[in-house]
Amino acid sequence: MRTHRIAVIPADGIGKEVIPAGVRVLQAIAERDGAFRFEFRTFPWGSDYYHEHGHMMPPDGLETLRAFDAIFFGAVGHPSLPDHITLWGLRLPICQGFDQYGNYRPARILPGIAGPLRGRTGRDLDWIIVRENTEGEYSGVGGRAHRGLPGEVAMEVSVFTRPGVERIMRFAFGLARKRPRRLLTLVTKSNAQRHGMVLWDEIFAEVAREFPDVATDRMLVDAVTTRMVLKPGTLDVLVASNLHADILSDLAAALSGSLGIGPTANINPERTYPSMFEPIHGSAFDIMGKGIANPLGTIWTAVLMLEHLGEGEAGERLMGAIEKVTRAGKTLTPDLGGTATTVEVTDAVIAALGN
Ligand code: IPM
Ligand code: MG
């Protein structure tokens, strides 16, 4: 029997509600499949841990995680701590330390879901947003000087490296190649950002030659937001920098019906390190503890994790179960216009898996 060892980090806010839901679903699908099993180990890292120990995870946290096949992650962020502390204490050290440079976020209007785009359904919005995940605007390079003085200065430097850009392009082209439409749109802001983003344009053109079977186009990030809203069907796979793709992926999730359903994969394609899987929604303190967080983002994330672990068939079955639940439309959380709880939606997905 194949065994997949999963590090589970629910972390903060509704992460603690949706990740246990995802674990239940993964256990259910493994039981039904019979050919593989999971070994889960849960880590209590996050903001509560910070208040007790002074750090978001232990100093040897990455070493501990390295032994796992994948990381199943909830969300970070707590009203009692500055966001940059929580983020740089847990999620970013994992993404950067494990060289998870290939972040991708599928967005689709699931059956039965009425997104905010009137009359649009599944076929009209079916995208993957590929996000460069280790450098760019999130490189952490910069500094502050003369704090509190009138001349105070802060610098936030975007770092773009040729190897960093080449590898994200190859990753994006590789994903686009597997899709029926095989279209990759490069998103930059190379009119205003004339160094790093121009490097993106150039490397995109170079790498495109290695993938003659993938159609390409280019768009500036401001213009692509209008295209996403007005002509969603003209897009397939998009590749963008760390910050641009961060913003576009929230828009994509909202256009597909709810921020509560979007999944994310943070991939180390070389598999030197474990990859990390998380819903995109964040800790959502406003609804924490109410039991109404949408678990579908986490369950869809579990589908991505199954694919990565080589359990693609099980992943397809799980995606089918999610779609069965949305199509029936009876068991949905409030963000999708329903009245169901996290546990009820999770039970419905497990029931939809059949035997
Ligand atoms: C995301 C989130 C994070 C990010 C936040 C929590 C810093 O918005 O995963 O999209 O910007 O990377
Ligand atoms: Mg984001």
Side-chain angles (χ1 to χ4, degrees):
M1 167 126 48
R2 300 185 292 274
T3 299
H4 305 297
R5 300 192 60 216
I6 310 296
V8 179
I9 311 177
D12 297 343
I14 61 169
K16 291 184 189 154
E17 300 169 40
V18 292
I19 290 298
V23 167
R24 274 185 59 210
V25 170
L26 283 166
Q27 240 146 5
I29 194 140
E31 272 162 29
R32 278 161 182 73
D33 188 281
F36 67 93
R37 59 191 278 273
F38 288 106
E39 253 173 52
F40 294 105
R41 187 161 149 213
T42 301
F43 295 91
W45 304 342
S47 296
D48 294 343
Y49 190 90
Y50 183 95
H51 285 300
E52 231 176 278
H53 303 273
H55 34 237
M56 296 287 288
M57 68 173 162
D60 63 353
L62 286 191
E63 259 163 70
T64 306
L65 292 177
R66 207 174 157 172
F68 290 85
D69 297 315
I71 303 163
F72 198 40
F73 191 90
V76 279
H78 192 279
S80 67
L81 289 171
D83 284 336
H84 66 273
I85 298 283
T86 53
L87 183 68
W88 282 98
L90 189 58
R91 186 176 169 275
L92 286 184
I94 297 174
C95 290
Q96 299 191 349
F98 285 163
D99 220 10
Q100 295 165 347
Y101 62 86
N103 175 298
Y104 73 93
R105 301 177 166 190
R108 189 147 63 80
I109 302 179
L110 297 179
I113 302 292
L117 296 178
R118 208 172 343 123
R120 304 275 189 196
T121 59
R123 234 165 294 139
D124 304 316
L125 192 166
D126 183 357
W127 305 326
I128 294 182
I129 297 186
V130 177
R131 171 178 182 181
E132 198 296 314
N133 212 30
T134 50
E135 55 178 40
E137 307 87 344
Y138 282 57
S139 64
V141 173
R144 287 177 67 172
H146 314 304
R147 282 188 189 240
L149 297 175
E152 181 166 5
V153 45
M155 279 188 301
E156 194 78 50
V157 181
S158 297
V159 175
F160 299 99
T161 65
R162 174 169 277 277
V165 182
E166 280 180 2
R167 65 187 191 173
I168 195 62
M169 293 305 177
R170 293 209 173 89
F171 182 74
F173 273 101
L175 277 181
R177 179 176 259 176
K178 288 194 214 124
R179 307 252 299 170
R181 294 188 43 206
R182 296 191 193 174
L183 169 65
L184 179 63
T185 300
L186 169 69
V187 180
T188 67
K189 187 67 190 172
S190 56
N191 53 349
Q193 297 179 305
R194 60 190 175 150
H195 307 297
M197 294 279 87
V198 174
L199 181 69
W200 270 61
D201 284 348
E202 289 169 8
I203 294 177
F204 181 75
E206 286 169 26
V207 175
R209 284 185 228 123
E210 297 167 23
F211 296 84
D213 51 330
V214 177
T216 59
D217 67 353
R218 279 169 46 180
M219 209 143 189
L220 298 172
V221 65
D222 48 348
V224 91
T225 59
T226 60
R227 180 163 162 201
M228 287 167 77
V229 174
L230 300 176
K231 293 184 184 162
T234 65
L235 291 160
D236 181 17
V237 181
L238 297 84
V239 61
S241 71
N242 215 327
L243 180 63
H244 290 162
D246 172 42
I247 298 165
L248 295 181
S249 59
D250 269 27
L251 176 60
L255 293 178
S256 57
S258 165
L259 202 55
I261 58 178
T264 304
N266 301 283
I267 303 286
N268 172 244
E270 292 74 23
R271 293 178 186 255
T272 313
Y273 304 100
S275 294
M276 178 160 73
F277 300 83
E278 56 175 343
I280 88 163
H281 50 60
S283 54
F285 265 75
D286 51 330
I287 59 162
M288 183 182 90
K290 296 189 179 158
I292 54 161
N294 192 343
L296 292 183
T298 296
I299 298 172
W300 193 348
T301 296
V303 172
L304 305 187
M305 189 165 84
L306 285 165
E307 283 165 6
H308 181 77
L309 294 169
E311 306 296 354
E313 254 173 54
E316 260 173 53
R317 245 175 295 141
L318 182 51
M319 198 65 219
I322 294 173
E323 291 180 351
K324 229 177 183 177
V325 170
T326 60
R327 191 178 294 117
K330 283 192 228 121
T331 320
L332 299 173
T333 43
D335 56 303
L336 290 175
T339 55
T341 63
T342 310
V343 170
E344 284 164 352
V345 175
T346 309
D347 288 344
V349 172
I350 293 174
L353 282 173
N355 298 307

